[in-house]
Amino acid sequence: MKKNKSYFASGCFWGTEYHFMKAHGVVSTAAGFMGGRVERPSYQEVRTGETGHLECVEVEYDAEKTTYEELVKLFFETHDFTQTDGQGPDIGTQYLSCLFYVNDEERDTAEKYIRLLEGMGYRVATKLQPASVFWKAEDYHQQYYEHKGAEPYCHVYRKIFRAKGEKEGNIL
């Protein structure tokens, strides 16, 4: 097994994690924070919007079973990447859409999909930033919806990209 880790911020990390933990080839997920200026931030600190962190999910996946490209598609298909002030009812800088890339290949893939979406007429608000320190959130945030037995209220899957050979759908 060839394990890789990638980082996705698409609003509330509970909903983001919910979709990634169900994806083929994903080994593990963790809810946390990235991109801020405070070391070891707590959820209470991040939710003020004053630390500069975004709620983020660390996704560890088996590169022999899935690809970063497939995860990027899922990222865009499970949140409103056009919203500029948060995600759904969660408003604030800590809920912005961002792809944190760990290498040039991830950055290039993210840029490719942003261009594809813009070519479809979307105004993409998703930011691209190099990955920095990932701070894992408190235990009660991990696999939140799995433990609650519920589904996310602001992350809904909607198909945007079609599979190779698929005749109907939007692109790819």
Side-chain angles (χ1 to χ4, degrees):
M1 178 177 354
K2 182 182 176 213
K3 291 183 186 177
N4 288 346
K5 287 185 181 178
S6 296
Y7 302 89
F8 302 90
S10 60
C12 173
F13 50 32
W14 296 339
T16 304
E17 183 181 44
Y18 174 85
H19 288 285
F20 278 108
M21 63 190 279
K22 296 178 178 316
H24 175 76
V26 170
V27 176
S28 67
T29 59
F33 316 105
M34 189 175 276
R37 54 192 172 277
V38 174
E39 289 195 26
R40 295 176 193 78
S42 69
Y43 175 71
Q44 294 304 321
E45 291 171 312
V46 172
R47 71 184 294 227
T48 68
E50 295 177 13
T51 68
H53 292 88
L54 276 70
E55 289 195 11
C56 179
V57 173
E58 177 182 75
V59 177
E60 183 176 32
Y61 64 98
D62 181 346
E64 295 172 357
K65 293 184 178 179
T66 193
T67 64
Y68 179 71
E69 186 168 1
E70 288 302 313
L71 298 176
V72 167
K73 289 179 192 179
L74 180 62
F75 167 79
F76 283 118
E77 291 180 332
T78 55
H79 79 291
D80 181 359
F81 52 85
T82 67
Q83 189 172 343
T84 59
D85 59 353
Q87 198 56 214
D90 295 328
I91 304 302
T93 57
Q94 67 273 30
Y95 301 116
L96 297 179
S97 174
C98 183
L99 286 164
F100 290 101
Y101 57 89
V102 298
N103 57 40
D104 291 343
E105 184 180 335
E106 283 191 0
R107 184 198 63 225
D108 293 347
T109 299
E111 288 174 342
K112 169 187 167 183
Y113 277 87
I114 289 171
R115 284 192 307 274
L116 286 169
L117 290 165
E118 289 172 342
M120 294 171 64
Y122 290 106
R123 294 186 66 190
V124 179
T126 301
K127 299 182 181 318
L128 292 179
Q129 292 183 16
S132 55
V133 177
F134 175 77
W135 302 103
K136 190 174 178 182
E138 296 85 351
D139 286 346
Y140 70 94
H141 292 292
Q142 308 306 318
Q143 293 80 44
Y144 181 81
Y145 284 113
E146 178 97 355
H147 297 302
K148 291 273 291 185
E151 293 188 11
Y153 62 90
C154 64
H155 287 80
V156 176
Y157 178 82
R158 69 190 185 298
K159 191 165 188 65
I160 298 172
F161 308 105
R162 67 179 180 199
K164 289 183 181 179
E166 190 176 27
K167 296 195 187 263
E168 296 189 25
N170 293 325
I171 64 172
L172 298 183

